[in-house]
Amino acid sequence: MTAGTAAGAAGGFGTVLVVDFGAQYAQLIARRVRECEVYSEIVPSSITASEVAARRPAGVILSGGPASVHVDGAPSLDPDIYGLGVPVLGICYGAQLIAEQLGGSVGRNERGEYGRAEMTVAHGGGTLLSDLPASQPVWMSHFDAIVDPPPGAAVTASTATSPVAAFEDRGRGLYGVQFHPEVQHTPHGLQVIERFLRRGCGAGPSWSMDSIIDASVAAVRDQVGEGRAICGLSGGVDSAVAAALVHRAIGDQLACVLVDTGLLRLGEADQVEETFGRHFGIDLVRVDAAEEFFGALAGVTEPETKRKIVGEQFIRAFERARHQVPDASFLVQGTLYPDVIESGATTHSSTIKSHHNVGGLPDDLDFELVEPLRLLFKDEVRAVGAELGLPDEIVHRQPFPGPGLAVRIIGEVTPSAAATLRRADAIVREELRNAGLEREIWQSFAVLPDIRTVGVMGDERTYGRPVVIRAVTSADAMTADWARLPHDVLEAMSSRVIAEVPGVNRVVYDITSKPPATIEWE
Ligand code: XMP
């Protein structure tokens, strides 16, 4: 495949560049900037002053990071960036770097400062803190601490441990905060970021749903021209929003493919067909491939082999569908910004989402990629989807693994096991929705382990299968905690599964976090 151009490129928006000294921190900062309706992009710390100048950003934010400025090889910044006349805000490590590079000093504390601290505003608080409470809680996470700000900068806040919790030199456009304004534990943090953007950078609100959609639509039209595009729909949020956006741009030049693997959730294939085929009037090719999938999976119990088989079958089914759209030369993918950043690609190169994604198609398919979501975070994707008129059930759908129910059926994946699990899974999700908890839970589903258990129903002894309920809270699936679901919700799930799903005589709840367990069972 060849690389496509990035849709929604930032032309026309006042961009803020977030320099990455620690990936998790940088992503959160970039999201907060966008919450303030200013477009942000993450850039590596190796970026040079001339590269920054060429982008003509409204401002630059240096993220926090795990390093100490005193360690050999600690990541640094091209010092000429400070001389570009572009306002710079350093956060934690970023603030220490500014101090260190511009003639201030950073010392080692006896003990670091971690967690909540009470911060006292000084000298009226300056650009970032004036008119915020004179004393306020902030979240700290640092070992080193700034001792002296750069000459000419005023200290605008301190804590008991950090004499320089915030500094600024408005004339030179230099700002530093030792605390983390991007985390929720700093209650006024978002306001601090907003003050930097509005007052420090003069960046007004411009990054809105309308502007995102307009820019993406224009970019897709530009890329595809009179060509034809094809998009695989999985039922998930990303592919759904990508398809809706591309459809808005090029109308019936888009065809969608829906592969019913037999491993989707209850009613999922029909709902996708209803939404995209009937509601949007998109040319939809549905491939009913369940028989082939189950045939290939017969007798297979090893988890990785199952995943591989599902992947291969998916490609075959997609290829079959493709013959029905022979003139398509563009492939739409729902790649998101975090995938782009994590794969190390810049916004100008392209990446194929393959990890954790059965829709990961092989490289030798001769398509040019169209990735209209590659600059967006997940919450933005959902907002775009809602704005484009996608139904709530799709926009707020929980993540679902590419191999579908195959990773939730332990042992052999048979049509009857899939039918059992599909019914139990539908009940679990329905009861969660009835309890109004769907949006608080990252994923909730049922698992069918490969064991038998004894029970008694009526007068009869049963020898059935247990169903495991798994529900987790998480921010990014990297770590997760088991959800403390109310007992009455669990009870409703349990009694309905027993009453409504034949062959199941026991329901258990998985109370393991990740790590050590994974979210899925295999
Ligand atoms: P684990 O189970 O590794 O899952 O904690 C983390 C996230 O990834 C999803 N997941 C998968 N997605 N193919 C996918 O497309 C897979 O093989 C796969 N395994 C796990 C899982 O649902 C969770 O959101």
Side-chain angles (χ1 to χ4, degrees):
M1 297 192 203
T2 53
T5 53
F13 300 111
T15 301
V16 164
L17 300 179
V18 179
V19 181
D20 179 358
F21 289 109
Q24 304 293 344
Y25 306 90
Q27 283 199 35
L28 197 51
I29 294 166
R31 278 170 53 193
R32 294 285 178 255
V33 171
R34 292 191 191 184
E35 279 171 35
C36 297
E37 296 182 67
V38 173
Y39 179 71
S40 61
E41 265 187 43
I42 295 174
V43 295
S45 58
S46 56
I47 193 163
T48 63
S50 55
E51 285 165 341
V52 171
R55 307 282 293 273
R56 295 204 272 142
V60 171
I61 300 182
L62 314 182
S63 84
S68 160
V69 289
H70 294 303
V71 170
D72 274 351
S76 193
L77 188 71
D78 178 351
D80 291 344
I81 289 173
Y82 302 117
L84 292 174
V86 177
V88 179
L89 167 65
I91 292 176
C92 194
Y93 180 81
Q96 295 174 1
L97 198 61
I98 296 176
E100 181 79 8
Q101 289 188 301
L102 295 180
S105 65
V106 176
R108 291 218 145 234
N109 267 342
E110 295 276 289
R111 51 194 173 89
E113 189 180 25
Y114 296 95
R116 190 179 183 280
E118 199 59 30
M119 181 173 81
T120 307
V121 172
H123 294 112
T127 311
L128 301 188
L129 296 165
S130 66
D131 64 35
L132 292 179
S135 178
Q136 54 178 291
V138 292
W139 192 258
M140 289 288 194
S141 177
H142 60 106
F143 196 80
D144 297 346
I146 302 162
V147 177
D148 300 299
V155 176
T156 50
S158 61
T159 69
T161 314
S162 292
V164 187
F167 67 80
E168 68 177 63
D169 180 342
R170 186 157 188 177
R172 291 173 73 190
L174 288 177
Y175 304 84
V177 293
Q178 182 61 76
F179 59 92
H180 286 276
E182 75 276 20
V183 304
Q184 269 159 359
H185 303 289
T186 300
H188 296 287
L190 192 63
Q191 290 161 288
V192 171
I193 292 172
E194 190 169 27
R195 279 165 172 68
F196 170 69
L197 299 171
R198 304 276 189 266
R199 301 174 182 173
C201 308
S206 61
W207 180 249
S208 64
M209 279 315 118
D210 283 346
S211 63
I212 295 173
I213 292 172
D214 289 350
S216 303
V217 162
V220 171
R221 278 192 191 137
D222 197 40
Q223 183 186 0
V224 177
E226 300 295 309
R228 207 126 199 250
I230 192 169
C231 178
L233 292 173
S234 64
V237 184
D238 305 345
S239 62
V241 176
L245 200 49
V246 172
H247 184 248
R248 164 86 51 110
I250 60 170
D252 58 14
Q253 288 163 256
L254 171 72
C256 287
V257 171
L258 167 63
V259 177
D260 186 351
T261 60
L263 300 164
L264 296 174
R265 288 169 284 194
L266 190 71
E268 196 160 27
D270 292 341
Q271 192 200 17
V272 169
E273 190 166 11
E274 172 67 33
T275 303
F276 288 91
R278 278 189 274 284
H279 177 64
F280 280 104
I282 293 181
D283 180 9
L284 185 79
V285 181
R286 175 168 171 167
V287 189
D288 285 305
E291 221 171 285
E292 286 82 357
F293 276 75
F294 287 121
L297 286 164
V300 180
T301 55
E302 207 278 315
E304 276 311 308
T305 314
K306 285 200 250 178
R307 278 192 167 83
K308 215 169 129 245
I309 290 173
V310 174
E312 286 163 4
Q313 288 298 318
F314 187 88
I315 291 163
R316 276 196 209 174
F318 192 87
E319 281 288 348
R320 264 200 280 151
R322 198 198 159 171
H323 293 310
Q324 298 188 41
V325 199
D327 50 346
S329 56
F330 295 89
L331 179 71
V332 179
Q333 285 225 328
T335 315
L336 303 193
Y337 196 41
D339 305 323
V340 174
I341 304 163
E342 275 151 34
S343 69
T346 71
T347 48
H348 303 293
S349 67
S350 198
T351 168
I352 298 167
K353 190 178 175 184
S354 62
H355 172 67
H356 267 175
N357 185 4
V358 150
L361 295 164
D363 282 358
D364 54 3
L365 285 183
D366 191 20
F367 283 118
E368 183 178 331
L369 291 183
V370 179
E371 300 179 302
L373 312 178
R374 62 183 278 113
L375 297 178
L376 303 185
F377 289 107
K378 190 88 177 188
D379 40 3
E380 295 173 316
V381 168
R382 292 193 206 276
V384 166
E387 186 75 24
L388 291 171
L390 287 174
D392 255 20
E393 305 96 87
I394 290 186
V395 168
H396 291 287
R397 183 153 276 184
Q398 295 176 350
F400 186 59
L405 299 182
V407 299
R408 297 176 181 170
I409 295 169
I410 317 306
E412 188 182 4
V413 180
T414 62
S416 92
T420 301
L421 183 58
R422 206 182 338 267
R423 294 176 77 166
D425 178 69
I427 292 169
V428 167
R429 289 182 300 115
E430 198 177 308
E431 287 304 323
L432 196 79
R433 195 176 326 126
N434 290 344
L437 293 171
E438 203 181 21
R439 294 198 192 173
E440 288 169 37
I441 302 296
W442 175 262
Q443 273 172 299
S444 57
F445 53 86
V447 178
L448 193 65
D450 190 21
I451 47 173
R452 303 264 154 188
T453 108
V454 172
V456 51
M457 277 166 120
D459 296 336
E460 300 216 358
R461 255 171 90 80
T462 58
Y463 195 48
R465 286 180 85 161
V467 153
V468 177
I469 298 173
R470 179 80 163 136
V472 298
T473 54
S474 176
D476 53 12
M478 303 293 285
T479 62
D481 197 7
W482 60 279
R484 271 54 169 180
L485 292 184
H487 286 179
D488 55 346
V489 175
L490 288 169
E491 187 193 333
M493 292 174 176
S494 165
S495 49
R496 278 194 59 199
V497 168
I498 297 294
E500 297 174 33
V501 188
V504 175
N505 63 355
R506 192 179 293 270
V507 175
V508 301
Y509 190 46
D510 181 346
I511 52 168
T512 335
S513 61
K514 172 186 180 177
T518 49
I519 295 175
E520 303 292 345
W521 267 46
E522 62 170 53

PDB file of all heavy atoms in Angstrom, residues 259-287:
ATOM      1  N   VAL A 259     -18.006  -7.707   6.843  1.00  0.00           N
ATOM      2  CA  VAL A 259     -17.796  -9.153   6.881  1.00  0.00           C
ATOM      3  C   VAL A 259     -18.479  -9.687   8.130  1.00  0.00           C
ATOM      4  O   VAL A 259     -18.083  -9.363   9.249  1.00  0.00           O
ATOM      5  CB  VAL A 259     -16.286  -9.493   6.917  1.00  0.00           C
ATOM      6  CG1 VAL A 259     -16.091 -11.000   7.039  1.00  0.00           C
ATOM      7  CG2 VAL A 259     -15.582  -8.955   5.683  1.00  0.00           C
ATOM      8  N   ASP A 260     -19.525 -10.495   7.943  1.00  0.00           N
ATOM      9  CA  ASP A 260     -20.126 -11.129   9.114  1.00  0.00           C
ATOM     10  C   ASP A 260     -19.365 -12.421   9.364  1.00  0.00           C
ATOM     11  O   ASP A 260     -19.511 -13.405   8.661  1.00  0.00           O
ATOM     12  CB  ASP A 260     -21.619 -11.403   8.882  1.00  0.00           C
ATOM     13  CG  ASP A 260     -22.263 -11.933  10.163  1.00  0.00           C
ATOM     14  OD1 ASP A 260     -21.519 -12.227  11.132  1.00  0.00           O
ATOM     15  OD2 ASP A 260     -23.494 -12.047  10.205  1.00  0.00           O
ATOM     16  N   THR A 261     -18.540 -12.369  10.398  1.00  0.00           N
ATOM     17  CA  THR A 261     -17.631 -13.474  10.707  1.00  0.00           C
ATOM     18  C   THR A 261     -18.324 -14.572  11.501  1.00  0.00           C
ATOM     19  O   THR A 261     -17.731 -15.617  11.753  1.00  0.00           O
ATOM     20  CB  THR A 261     -16.468 -12.951  11.562  1.00  0.00           C
ATOM     21  OG1 THR A 261     -17.030 -12.401  12.777  1.00  0.00           O
ATOM     22  CG2 THR A 261     -15.704 -11.860  10.842  1.00  0.00           C
ATOM     23  N   GLY A 262     -19.535 -14.300  11.945  1.00  0.00           N
ATOM     24  CA  GLY A 262     -20.184 -15.245  12.857  1.00  0.00           C
ATOM     25  C   GLY A 262     -19.694 -15.044  14.281  1.00  0.00           C
ATOM     26  O   GLY A 262     -20.119 -15.720  15.205  1.00  0.00           O
ATOM     27  N   LEU A 263     -18.767 -14.094  14.463  1.00  0.00           N
ATOM     28  CA  LEU A 263     -18.164 -13.873  15.779  1.00  0.00           C
ATOM     29  C   LEU A 263     -18.446 -12.456  16.272  1.00  0.00           C
ATOM     30  O   LEU A 263     -17.756 -11.936  17.140  1.00  0.00           O
ATOM     31  CB  LEU A 263     -16.649 -14.104  15.690  1.00  0.00           C
ATOM     32  CG  LEU A 263     -16.257 -15.522  15.249  1.00  0.00           C
ATOM     33  CD1 LEU A 263     -14.807 -15.582  14.815  1.00  0.00           C
ATOM     34  CD2 LEU A 263     -16.520 -16.517  16.378  1.00  0.00           C
ATOM     35  N   LEU A 264     -19.454 -11.829  15.670  1.00  0.00           N
ATOM     36  CA  LEU A 264     -19.827 -10.473  16.103  1.00  0.00           C
ATOM     37  C   LEU A 264     -20.833 -10.561  17.244  1.00  0.00           C
ATOM     38  O   LEU A 264     -21.365 -11.624  17.548  1.00  0.00           O
ATOM     39  CB  LEU A 264     -20.435  -9.706  14.928  1.00  0.00           C
ATOM     40  CG  LEU A 264     -19.496  -9.457  13.743  1.00  0.00           C
ATOM     41  CD1 LEU A 264     -20.247  -8.814  12.590  1.00  0.00           C
ATOM     42  CD2 LEU A 264     -18.323  -8.572  14.168  1.00  0.00           C
ATOM     43  N   ARG A 265     -21.093  -9.403  17.853  1.00  0.00           N
ATOM     44  CA  ARG A 265     -22.064  -9.374  18.948  1.00  0.00           C
ATOM     45  C   ARG A 265     -23.491  -9.492  18.408  1.00  0.00           C
ATOM     46  O   ARG A 265     -23.719  -9.301  17.206  1.00  0.00           O
ATOM     47  CB  ARG A 265     -21.880  -8.070  19.735  1.00  0.00           C
ATOM     48  CG  ARG A 265     -20.607  -8.084  20.559  1.00  0.00           C
ATOM     49  CD  ARG A 265     -20.265  -6.731  21.117  1.00  0.00           C
ATOM     50  NE  ARG A 265     -19.696  -5.853  20.078  1.00  0.00           N
ATOM     51  CZ  ARG A 265     -19.069  -4.720  20.338  1.00  0.00           C
ATOM     52  NH1 ARG A 265     -18.919  -4.315  21.573  1.00  0.00           N
ATOM     53  NH2 ARG A 265     -18.584  -3.986  19.352  1.00  0.00           N
ATOM     54  N   LEU A 266     -24.414  -9.738  19.306  1.00  0.00           N
ATOM     55  CA  LEU A 266     -25.802  -9.948  18.899  1.00  0.00           C
ATOM     56  C   LEU A 266     -26.330  -8.734  18.124  1.00  0.00           C
ATOM     57  O   LEU A 266     -26.267  -7.601  18.603  1.00  0.00           O
ATOM     58  CB  LEU A 266     -26.672 -10.179  20.145  1.00  0.00           C
ATOM     59  CG  LEU A 266     -28.106 -10.644  19.869  1.00  0.00           C
ATOM     60  CD1 LEU A 266     -28.115 -12.087  19.366  1.00  0.00           C
ATOM     61  CD2 LEU A 266     -28.980 -10.518  21.108  1.00  0.00           C
ATOM     62  N   GLY A 267     -26.831  -8.996  16.945  1.00  0.00           N
ATOM     63  CA  GLY A 267     -27.469  -7.937  16.162  1.00  0.00           C
ATOM     64  C   GLY A 267     -26.514  -6.943  15.526  1.00  0.00           C
ATOM     65  O   GLY A 267     -26.945  -5.996  14.874  1.00  0.00           O
ATOM     66  N   GLU A 268     -25.203  -7.149  15.711  1.00  0.00           N
ATOM     67  CA  GLU A 268     -24.234  -6.138  15.280  1.00  0.00           C
ATOM     68  C   GLU A 268     -24.203  -5.967  13.759  1.00  0.00           C
ATOM     69  O   GLU A 268     -24.244  -4.849  13.250  1.00  0.00           O
ATOM     70  CB  GLU A 268     -22.848  -6.536  15.783  1.00  0.00           C
ATOM     71  CG  GLU A 268     -21.850  -5.430  15.750  1.00  0.00           C
ATOM     72  CD  GLU A 268     -20.672  -5.709  16.671  1.00  0.00           C
ATOM     73  OE1 GLU A 268     -20.364  -6.888  16.928  1.00  0.00           O
ATOM     74  OE2 GLU A 268     -20.064  -4.739  17.125  1.00  0.00           O
ATOM     75  N   ALA A 269     -24.162  -7.086  13.046  1.00  0.00           N
ATOM     76  CA  ALA A 269     -24.073  -6.996  11.584  1.00  0.00           C
ATOM     77  C   ALA A 269     -25.322  -6.315  11.034  1.00  0.00           C
ATOM     78  O   ALA A 269     -25.235  -5.445  10.154  1.00  0.00           O
ATOM     79  CB  ALA A 269     -23.888  -8.384  10.981  1.00  0.00           C
ATOM     80  N   ASP A 270     -26.462  -6.688  11.590  1.00  0.00           N
ATOM     81  CA  ASP A 270     -27.714  -6.091  11.108  1.00  0.00           C
ATOM     82  C   ASP A 270     -27.744  -4.596  11.403  1.00  0.00           C
ATOM     83  O   ASP A 270     -28.216  -3.805  10.591  1.00  0.00           O
ATOM     84  CB  ASP A 270     -28.933  -6.760  11.766  1.00  0.00           C
ATOM     85  CG  ASP A 270     -29.085  -8.199  11.289  1.00  0.00           C
ATOM     86  OD1 ASP A 270     -28.514  -8.532  10.234  1.00  0.00           O
ATOM     87  OD2 ASP A 270     -29.753  -8.976  11.988  1.00  0.00           O
ATOM     88  N   GLN A 271     -27.235  -4.227  12.572  1.00  0.00           N
ATOM     89  CA  GLN A 271     -27.263  -2.809  12.916  1.00  0.00           C
ATOM     90  C   GLN A 271     -26.365  -1.990  11.994  1.00  0.00           C
ATOM     91  O   GLN A 271     -26.730  -0.894  11.562  1.00  0.00           O
ATOM     92  CB  GLN A 271     -26.824  -2.595  14.367  1.00  0.00           C
ATOM     93  CG  GLN A 271     -27.136  -1.170  14.789  1.00  0.00           C
ATOM     94  CD  GLN A 271     -26.329  -0.728  15.979  1.00  0.00           C
ATOM     95  OE1 GLN A 271     -25.313  -1.331  16.334  1.00  0.00           O
ATOM     96  NE2 GLN A 271     -26.767   0.352  16.598  1.00  0.00           N
ATOM     97  N   VAL A 272     -25.212  -2.541  11.678  1.00  0.00           N
ATOM     98  CA  VAL A 272     -24.305  -1.838  10.764  1.00  0.00           C
ATOM     99  C   VAL A 272     -24.982  -1.696   9.400  1.00  0.00           C
ATOM    100  O   VAL A 272     -24.955  -0.629   8.778  1.00  0.00           O
ATOM    101  CB  VAL A 272     -22.966  -2.594  10.638  1.00  0.00           C
ATOM    102  CG1 VAL A 272     -22.127  -2.026   9.509  1.00  0.00           C
ATOM    103  CG2 VAL A 272     -22.205  -2.520  11.956  1.00  0.00           C
ATOM    104  N   GLU A 273     -25.620  -2.767   8.953  1.00  0.00           N
ATOM    105  CA  GLU A 273     -26.287  -2.735   7.655  1.00  0.00           C
ATOM    106  C   GLU A 273     -27.414  -1.703   7.662  1.00  0.00           C
ATOM    107  O   GLU A 273     -27.576  -0.918   6.730  1.00  0.00           O
ATOM    108  CB  GLU A 273     -26.850  -4.124   7.331  1.00  0.00           C
ATOM    109  CG  GLU A 273     -27.321  -4.208   5.915  1.00  0.00           C
ATOM    110  CD  GLU A 273     -27.568  -5.642   5.457  1.00  0.00           C
ATOM    111  OE1 GLU A 273     -27.569  -6.572   6.287  1.00  0.00           O
ATOM    112  OE2 GLU A 273     -27.772  -5.811   4.249  1.00  0.00           O
ATOM    113  N   GLU A 274     -28.136  -1.686   8.775  1.00  0.00           N
ATOM    114  CA  GLU A 274     -29.248  -0.746   8.913  1.00  0.00           C
ATOM    115  C   GLU A 274     -28.725   0.700   8.863  1.00  0.00           C
ATOM    116  O   GLU A 274     -29.209   1.550   8.122  1.00  0.00           O
ATOM    117  CB  GLU A 274     -29.946  -1.028  10.259  1.00  0.00           C
ATOM    118  CG  GLU A 274     -31.014  -0.043  10.666  1.00  0.00           C
ATOM    119  CD  GLU A 274     -32.219  -0.099   9.747  1.00  0.00           C
ATOM    120  OE1 GLU A 274     -32.521  -1.194   9.248  1.00  0.00           O
ATOM    121  OE2 GLU A 274     -32.827   0.973   9.513  1.00  0.00           O
ATOM    122  N   THR A 275     -27.701   0.956   9.651  1.00  0.00           N
ATOM    123  CA  THR A 275     -27.193   2.320   9.755  1.00  0.00           C
ATOM    124  C   THR A 275     -26.572   2.795   8.448  1.00  0.00           C
ATOM    125  O   THR A 275     -26.894   3.867   7.947  1.00  0.00           O
ATOM    126  CB  THR A 275     -26.119   2.408  10.868  1.00  0.00           C
ATOM    127  OG1 THR A 275     -26.718   1.949  12.065  1.00  0.00           O
ATOM    128  CG2 THR A 275     -25.622   3.827  11.048  1.00  0.00           C
ATOM    129  N   PHE A 276     -25.660   1.985   7.916  1.00  0.00           N
ATOM    130  CA  PHE A 276     -24.902   2.466   6.767  1.00  0.00           C
ATOM    131  C   PHE A 276     -25.623   2.226   5.451  1.00  0.00           C
ATOM    132  O   PHE A 276     -25.609   3.084   4.572  1.00  0.00           O
ATOM    133  CB  PHE A 276     -23.505   1.829   6.760  1.00  0.00           C
ATOM    134  CG  PHE A 276     -22.658   2.400   7.836  1.00  0.00           C
ATOM    135  CD1 PHE A 276     -22.624   1.821   9.092  1.00  0.00           C
ATOM    136  CD2 PHE A 276     -21.944   3.564   7.621  1.00  0.00           C
ATOM    137  CE1 PHE A 276     -21.880   2.380  10.113  1.00  0.00           C
ATOM    138  CE2 PHE A 276     -21.196   4.128   8.630  1.00  0.00           C
ATOM    139  CZ  PHE A 276     -21.169   3.537   9.886  1.00  0.00           C
ATOM    140  N   GLY A 277     -26.238   1.054   5.347  1.00  0.00           N
ATOM    141  CA  GLY A 277     -26.934   0.747   4.108  1.00  0.00           C
ATOM    142  C   GLY A 277     -28.190   1.591   3.974  1.00  0.00           C
ATOM    143  O   GLY A 277     -28.345   2.362   3.025  1.00  0.00           O
ATOM    144  N   ARG A 278     -29.068   1.454   4.972  1.00  0.00           N
ATOM    145  CA  ARG A 278     -30.360   2.116   4.814  1.00  0.00           C
ATOM    146  C   ARG A 278     -30.337   3.585   5.221  1.00  0.00           C
ATOM    147  O   ARG A 278     -30.783   4.457   4.491  1.00  0.00           O
ATOM    148  CB  ARG A 278     -31.434   1.335   5.582  1.00  0.00           C
ATOM    149  CG  ARG A 278     -31.926   0.145   4.766  1.00  0.00           C
ATOM    150  CD  ARG A 278     -33.118  -0.523   5.389  1.00  0.00           C
ATOM    151  NE  ARG A 278     -32.744  -1.516   6.388  1.00  0.00           N
ATOM    152  CZ  ARG A 278     -32.260  -2.722   6.086  1.00  0.00           C
ATOM    153  NH1 ARG A 278     -32.105  -3.083   4.826  1.00  0.00           N
ATOM    154  NH2 ARG A 278     -31.935  -3.566   7.024  1.00  0.00           N
ATOM    155  N   HIS A 279     -29.805   3.878   6.403  1.00  0.00           N
ATOM    156  CA  HIS A 279     -29.870   5.253   6.881  1.00  0.00           C
ATOM    157  C   HIS A 279     -28.999   6.205   6.052  1.00  0.00           C
ATOM    158  O   HIS A 279     -29.459   7.231   5.566  1.00  0.00           O
ATOM    159  CB  HIS A 279     -29.487   5.290   8.361  1.00  0.00           C
ATOM    160  CG  HIS A 279     -29.443   6.664   8.956  1.00  0.00           C
ATOM    161  ND1 HIS A 279     -30.567   7.446   9.060  1.00  0.00           N
ATOM    162  CD2 HIS A 279     -28.423   7.396   9.450  1.00  0.00           C
ATOM    163  CE1 HIS A 279     -30.236   8.606   9.604  1.00  0.00           C
ATOM    164  NE2 HIS A 279     -28.944   8.612   9.844  1.00  0.00           N
ATOM    165  N   PHE A 280     -27.728   5.823   5.871  1.00  0.00           N
ATOM    166  CA  PHE A 280     -26.842   6.707   5.105  1.00  0.00           C
ATOM    167  C   PHE A 280     -26.929   6.455   3.589  1.00  0.00           C
ATOM    168  O   PHE A 280     -26.417   7.231   2.797  1.00  0.00           O
ATOM    169  CB  PHE A 280     -25.380   6.521   5.540  1.00  0.00           C
ATOM    170  CG  PHE A 280     -25.036   7.255   6.810  1.00  0.00           C
ATOM    171  CD1 PHE A 280     -24.908   6.585   8.008  1.00  0.00           C
ATOM    172  CD2 PHE A 280     -24.854   8.637   6.801  1.00  0.00           C
ATOM    173  CE1 PHE A 280     -24.594   7.265   9.173  1.00  0.00           C
ATOM    174  CE2 PHE A 280     -24.538   9.311   7.966  1.00  0.00           C
ATOM    175  CZ  PHE A 280     -24.412   8.625   9.155  1.00  0.00           C
ATOM    176  N   GLY A 281     -27.517   5.340   3.221  1.00  0.00           N
ATOM    177  CA  GLY A 281     -27.606   5.021   1.799  1.00  0.00           C
ATOM    178  C   GLY A 281     -26.245   4.736   1.176  1.00  0.00           C
ATOM    179  O   GLY A 281     -26.004   4.996   0.001  1.00  0.00           O
ATOM    180  N   ILE A 282     -25.346   4.185   1.969  1.00  0.00           N
ATOM    181  CA  ILE A 282     -24.008   3.869   1.444  1.00  0.00           C
ATOM    182  C   ILE A 282     -24.070   2.515   0.729  1.00  0.00           C
ATOM    183  O   ILE A 282     -24.756   1.594   1.176  1.00  0.00           O
ATOM    184  CB  ILE A 282     -22.975   3.813   2.600  1.00  0.00           C
ATOM    185  CG1 ILE A 282     -22.798   5.209   3.204  1.00  0.00           C
ATOM    186  CG2 ILE A 282     -21.637   3.238   2.119  1.00  0.00           C
ATOM    187  CD1 ILE A 282     -21.793   5.288   4.337  1.00  0.00           C
ATOM    188  N   ASP A 283     -23.347   2.431  -0.351  1.00  0.00           N
ATOM    189  CA  ASP A 283     -23.230   1.189  -1.099  1.00  0.00           C
ATOM    190  C   ASP A 283     -22.518   0.172  -0.194  1.00  0.00           C
ATOM    191  O   ASP A 283     -21.339   0.322   0.107  1.00  0.00           O
ATOM    192  CB  ASP A 283     -22.393   1.515  -2.361  1.00  0.00           C
ATOM    193  CG  ASP A 283     -22.181   0.310  -3.233  1.00  0.00           C
ATOM    194  OD1 ASP A 283     -22.815  -0.732  -2.976  1.00  0.00           O
ATOM    195  OD2 ASP A 283     -21.382   0.425  -4.177  1.00  0.00           O
ATOM    196  N   LEU A 284     -23.271  -0.844   0.270  1.00  0.00           N
ATOM    197  CA  LEU A 284     -22.711  -1.756   1.269  1.00  0.00           C
ATOM    198  C   LEU A 284     -22.671  -3.187   0.745  1.00  0.00           C
ATOM    199  O   LEU A 284     -23.687  -3.720   0.319  1.00  0.00           O
ATOM    200  CB  LEU A 284     -23.578  -1.705   2.530  1.00  0.00           C
ATOM    201  CG  LEU A 284     -23.068  -2.516   3.712  1.00  0.00           C
ATOM    202  CD1 LEU A 284     -21.960  -1.777   4.435  1.00  0.00           C
ATOM    203  CD2 LEU A 284     -24.205  -2.800   4.687  1.00  0.00           C
ATOM    204  N   VAL A 285     -21.493  -3.776   0.778  1.00  0.00           N
ATOM    205  CA  VAL A 285     -21.355  -5.173   0.383  1.00  0.00           C
ATOM    206  C   VAL A 285     -21.249  -5.999   1.655  1.00  0.00           C
ATOM    207  O   VAL A 285     -20.318  -5.823   2.439  1.00  0.00           O
ATOM    208  CB  VAL A 285     -20.066  -5.382  -0.457  1.00  0.00           C
ATOM    209  CG1 VAL A 285     -19.950  -6.832  -0.881  1.00  0.00           C
ATOM    210  CG2 VAL A 285     -20.044  -4.444  -1.645  1.00  0.00           C
ATOM    211  N   ARG A 286     -22.232  -6.864   1.889  1.00  0.00           N
ATOM    212  CA  ARG A 286     -22.178  -7.697   3.098  1.00  0.00           C
ATOM    213  C   ARG A 286     -21.763  -9.104   2.715  1.00  0.00           C
ATOM    214  O   ARG A 286     -22.359  -9.720   1.836  1.00  0.00           O
ATOM    215  CB  ARG A 286     -23.540  -7.703   3.783  1.00  0.00           C
ATOM    216  CG  ARG A 286     -23.589  -8.637   4.980  1.00  0.00           C
ATOM    217  CD  ARG A 286     -24.833  -8.389   5.801  1.00  0.00           C
ATOM    218  NE  ARG A 286     -25.000  -9.417   6.821  1.00  0.00           N
ATOM    219  CZ  ARG A 286     -25.850  -9.317   7.820  1.00  0.00           C
ATOM    220  NH1 ARG A 286     -26.608  -8.255   7.957  1.00  0.00           N
ATOM    221  NH2 ARG A 286     -25.965 -10.292   8.720  1.00  0.00           N
ATOM    222  N   VAL A 287     -20.741  -9.600   3.383  1.00  0.00           N
ATOM    223  CA  VAL A 287     -20.277 -10.960   3.106  1.00  0.00           C
ATOM    224  C   VAL A 287     -20.623 -11.817   4.305  1.00  0.00           C
ATOM    225  O   VAL A 287     -20.135 -11.563   5.409  1.00  0.00           O
ATOM    226  CB  VAL A 287     -18.736 -10.990   2.925  1.00  0.00           C
ATOM    227  CG1 VAL A 287     -18.288 -12.343   2.417  1.00  0.00           C
ATOM    228  CG2 VAL A 287     -18.287  -9.895   1.999  1.00  0.00           C
TER     229      VAL A 287
END
